[in-house]
Amino acid sequence: MKKIFQSEWISRSVDALLPVFATLAALLVGAIMLLLLKVNPIEAYAALWDGAFGSSNAVAETLVKATPLLLVALGICIAFRGNVINIGGEGQMVVGALLATWIGLTFTNSPGWLIIVLALFAGFLGGAVWGGIPGVLKAYFNVNEILSTVMMNAIAIQLMNFLLRGPMIDPAQADLASKIPQTARLLDIFQLPRLAPTRLHLGALVAVVLAVLVYILLWRTTLGYRIRAVGQNPHASRYAGINVPRHMVMALLFAGAFAGLAGAVQVYGVNYRMITDGSASGFTGSAGFNGIVAALFGQLHPIWSIPASILFGALLVGANKMQRVVQVPSALVIALNGLVVVFVVSSEIWRRYRQRRRQVTVRDEESPPGADQPEVQKVEARQ
C-alpha cells in the first residue's frame, strides 16, 4: 500500500509539472527556430525576460496583460469543471465591453465610483447573457457548444463593428473622412484607480480576489459541488437528483460572465474607450483564447490560474522586447506563443491519459483477481 501511495504521489507531481515541461519544450523548439534565423537564443530569451520582469514598469505591464487572461481563465475553470467547453471568450469580452462603455458614455453626470461599479456589473451581466445562450442551446437542444460559442463570437464582432462605425462612434470621428471606428474616451473620473505610478490598475487586484472566490464557489459551496458532479458524470448526477441542464447553463453563464468582466476591465482600466480594427483581437488582444491556455496551464484550478496567467502575460509582453532587441520577424513571436499553446494543450491531454492509467493501476493492485469487475465498471463510467 505504501508503495502505491509513493508511486502515485510521484506520478501526481509529474502531472503537476507537465505544463512547465511543455513550456520548456516549446521554448526549446523556439530556440531552434531562432538558430535557423541566425539569432542567439540566449540573447533573445534574456531580452524576453528583461521585457517581462526587468523593471517595475515591465512587471506592471506583465500584470496588466495577465489581468484579462486570469478573468477569462476563471470562467474557463468553471466551464471545464462542468464538462462544457467555452470558446466564446472573445465575443463575450466584446459584449461585456460594449455594455460597460455605453454606461460610461451615457451617464456622464453620475459619480465616478458608481459608474465604475455599474459598468463592471454590466460587463459581467452582458458576458453572462452571451455565454448563457450557448448554454441553453447545449443543455436543452443538444447543440454543440464549441460551434455555438464560435458563432456567437462572429455575431459579437459584427455587432461591435456596426456600433463603433454607427451609433457609438466618437462624435469627433463622425465628422471626419477617415472615421476611425472607436467610441469617445471615457471621463477621467470613470477610470479604474491605478495601484502604482504605472499602468497597473485596480482590475488586477479584483481578478485575484475573484480567483479566491471562484475557488470557494467550486469547492466550498453546493452549487460548485453540483457543477463539478455534472462534469464528472451527468448520468449519476441526474440519478442523484441534480438538475443537469440547469447546471450546464450555469457553468457557461459563469464562463461568459467572467469574460464579459474582462472586457469591461480592459475598457475602464487600460483603453478608456472601445476601438476596433474589424476583428475581436484588435480589442481583446486574443485574451479570450489565451485565457483558455492559462486555465489549462493552471490545471483548471482558479488559484493556480493566477501564476499561469502571469506567465502568459510575461510571454506576451517580453516577446515584444525580444522582437525589438534581436530584430526577429513578428511572425516568429506569434509562432513562439503558438508553440507554447500547442505544447501546453498537448500536455493536458497527456495528463488525462496518465490519470486514467493511474486509476486502473491502483484498482488492479488493490483488488483481488475476479472481485474487481464492478469497480472496473465504475472507473470506466468516470472516464
Side-chain angles (χ1 to χ4, degrees):
M1 182 67 71
K2 183 178 179 181
K3 181 180 178 181
I4 292 175
F5 284 138
Q6 287 177 340
S7 61
E8 184 175 353
W9 183 85
I10 294 173
S11 183
R12 287 181 182 276
S13 300
V14 171
D15 286 353
L17 293 173
L18 274 178
V20 178
F21 297 148
T23 303
L24 293 176
L27 293 178
L28 181 61
V29 174
I32 296 174
M33 296 169 64
L34 288 167
L35 287 173
L36 293 175
L37 292 173
K38 299 180 180 179
V39 174
N40 186 340
I42 297 177
E43 182 183 355
Y45 287 145
L48 188 150
W49 174 266
D50 189 57
F53 300 109
S55 65
S56 58
N57 188 60
V59 173
E61 287 298 316
T62 295
L63 295 178
V64 168
K65 187 67 77 174
T67 299
L69 299 182
L70 175 56
L71 289 171
V72 173
L74 295 179
I76 295 298
C77 289
I78 299 174
F80 277 43
R81 292 288 178 181
N83 200 28
V84 285
I85 300 174
N86 178 35
I87 311 294
E90 293 280 284
Q92 292 148 12
M93 282 186 69
V94 166
V95 172
L98 285 172
L99 273 177
T101 305
W102 176 79
I103 286 181
L105 295 178
T106 303
F107 305 100
T108 53
N109 294 323
S110 302
W113 65 269
L114 178 62
I115 291 301
I116 290 174
V117 172
L118 286 177
L120 296 185
F121 180 74
F124 190 85
L125 186 63
V129 172
W130 214 250
I133 294 172
V136 171
L137 294 175
K138 167 71 175 179
Y140 296 100
F141 302 99
N142 200 27
V143 176
N144 186 295
E145 76 274 23
I146 298 176
L147 296 178
S148 59
T149 50
V150 169
M151 293 304 296
M152 294 297 283
N153 282 345
I155 296 172
I157 293 169
Q158 297 307 318
L159 178 65
M160 175 180 65
N161 291 336
F162 166 72
L163 292 175
L164 267 59
R165 285 185 169 88
M168 293 181 67
I169 192 172
D170 185 356
Q173 292 292 332
D175 298 329
L176 300 177
S178 58
K179 293 187 186 315
I180 297 175
Q182 65 181 22
T183 66
R185 185 182 173 88
L186 297 174
L187 298 177
D188 290 346
I189 58 173
F190 295 163
Q191 298 173 6
L192 282 173
R194 295 191 173 183
L195 303 179
T198 59
R199 292 208 309 158
L200 183 61
H201 53 78
L202 185 62
L205 183 60
V206 171
V208 173
V209 172
L210 287 175
V212 177
L213 294 178
V214 170
Y215 168 76
I216 294 173
L217 169 72
L218 283 175
W219 277 277
R220 294 292 185 270
T221 68
T222 304
L223 175 61
Y225 170 79
R226 289 177 175 175
I227 289 176
R228 289 189 293 118
V230 169
Q232 286 288 323
N233 193 324
H235 303 293
S237 301
R238 187 176 293 107
Y239 184 77
I242 298 176
N243 189 327
V244 173
R246 178 188 301 171
H247 289 86
M248 279 186 178
V249 175
M250 291 293 290
L252 276 173
L253 190 144
F254 274 119
F258 281 103
L261 179 61
V265 168
Q266 279 297 96
V267 172
Y268 281 72
V270 180
N271 301 326
Y272 309 130
R273 66 176 11 140
M274 277 202 74
I275 186 169
T276 178
D277 60 356
S279 67
S281 60
F283 166 69
T284 65
S286 299
F289 293 130
N290 291 330
I292 299 174
V293 185
L296 292 175
F297 195 96
Q299 305 281 308
L300 298 176
H301 193 288
I303 302 300
W304 287 114
S305 294
I306 299 174
S309 300
I310 294 174
L311 171 65
F312 279 91
L315 283 175
L316 294 172
V317 174
N320 291 332
K321 181 164 185 179
M322 183 182 76
Q323 182 184 357
R324 293 195 302 271
V325 171
V326 298
Q327 296 295 306
V328 294
S330 60
L332 179 69
V333 175
I334 298 173
L336 183 60
N337 289 333
L339 281 172
V340 174
V341 171
V342 170
F343 275 74
V344 169
V345 172
S346 301
S347 74
E348 174 63 18
I349 297 172
W350 180 245
R351 186 186 69 83
R352 292 185 179 185
Y353 171 75
R354 285 172 50 82
Q355 190 177 28
R356 289 196 296 270
R357 288 289 303 270
R358 190 166 56 243
Q359 289 174 339
V360 174
T361 301
V362 170
R363 184 265 306 162
D364 289 343
E365 295 188 17
E366 289 185 342
S367 301
D372 56 349
Q373 189 60 30
E375 187 63 26
V376 170
Q377 294 174 352
K378 292 178 182 177
V379 171
E380 291 175 349
R382 285 197 296 269
Q383 295 172 0

